[in-house]
Amino acid sequence: VVLSDTAKKGQAPVLGEVPATKFYIAPLEDRIDHPSYVGDKKKGEATVNIYECFELFSYPEILDQNNMWYCGNCKAQVQATKKLEMFRLPPILIVQLKRFKTSEGTILRNERINTLVDFPLVNLDLRKYTINPHQPEPVYDLYAISNHRGGAGFGHYTAYVKNMRKIKWYSFDDSKVEPIEESKVC
């Protein structure tokens, strides 16, 4: 998912001209009982809102016995809490959603996470998720999505990209490019 704050100004965002930042977000992963879950748990159908993904991204995590932290003061491995926070967001934001997880009791076997992520095409407001009081308004418009179909070791990529001059979405699939309705994008 590629978002840009320049899209509102009618400019075509170019990754080579502006520094981009990439965030890795795991939507719900093992938190299937989270109140945001909607769908049939037996079929693995679920929907989560992108804002809830950002909530989980910044949720404090207690490191377990297998992931202890070395404390320089007491010179010992200790159980600690880790929290990720965003201080400053860039003009172009790339969000990578975690789509695979390792199954319990297996080695090198990944399961696909089929949780659908609902997100706005315009005005993704991330003010609530930045801790910098001087951050310019981090409000983004979506202009590209990379789609993957298949498993962890194989699959096929396609993309949806918005032409900022024509204000129209296109589907890219190998050498095939065709217009797509905005409602099909998300």
Side-chain angles (χ1 to χ4, degrees):
V1 179
V2 181
L3 306 130
S4 171
D5 66 351
T6 60
K8 293 185 290 296
K9 299 173 188 138
Q11 301 169 352
V14 179
L15 288 175
E17 295 177 3
V18 182
T21 299
K22 188 174 184 177
F23 288 100
Y24 178 75
I25 299 179
L28 290 186
E29 195 180 10
D30 296 321
R31 299 172 189 257
I32 207 72
D33 292 323
H34 191 274
S36 64
Y37 180 92
V38 178
D40 185 343
K41 293 180 187 180
K42 292 178 186 169
K43 292 182 183 176
E45 296 172 0
T47 301
V48 65
N49 189 290
I50 189 73
Y51 292 109
E52 291 166 307
C53 293
F54 280 102
E55 291 283 340
L56 290 174
F57 175 76
S58 60
Y59 190 79
E61 176 187 352
I62 298 173
L63 301 177
D64 63 17
Q65 297 292 339
N66 297 324
N67 199 12
M68 306 268 291
W69 177 71
Y70 179 78
C71 174
N73 290 334
C74 53
K75 310 284 187 224
Q77 298 283 75
V78 297
Q79 195 169 20
T81 300
K82 159 178 102 168
K83 182 176 182 184
L84 300 174
E85 295 180 311
M86 296 183 283
F87 184 74
R88 183 178 54 206
L89 293 172
I92 295 176
L93 179 68
I94 300 171
V95 178
Q96 177 182 342
L97 301 173
K98 181 176 180 180
R99 302 319 279 168
F100 297 96
K101 68 177 178 177
T102 303
S103 302
E104 283 188 40
T106 63
I107 298 174
L108 301 175
R109 176 167 158 76
N110 291 319
E111 284 184 43
R112 183 169 187 84
I113 298 172
N114 290 315
T115 305
L116 299 174
V117 180
D118 184 32
F119 51 88
L121 294 177
V122 295
N123 297 324
L124 175 68
D125 189 349
L126 299 180
R127 284 180 280 202
K128 177 179 174 183
Y129 306 103
T130 58
I131 60 171
N132 181 357
H134 305 294
Q135 166 78 42
E137 286 193 11
V139 179
Y140 295 89
D141 289 347
L142 181 71
Y143 76 91
I145 297 176
S146 175
N147 302 303
H148 179 265
R149 289 171 179 80
F154 64 92
H156 182 70
Y157 285 93
T158 62
Y160 300 142
V161 179
K162 186 174 186 178
N163 181 318
M164 298 306 291
R165 291 188 181 104
K166 295 181 179 181
I167 314 298
K168 193 170 188 178
W169 284 91
Y170 290 87
S171 173
F172 290 77
D173 187 352
D174 293 333
S175 62
K176 183 179 175 183
V177 178
E178 58 188 10
I180 187 172
E181 293 177 33
E182 189 175 90
S183 62
K184 305 259 186 198
V185 172
C186 58

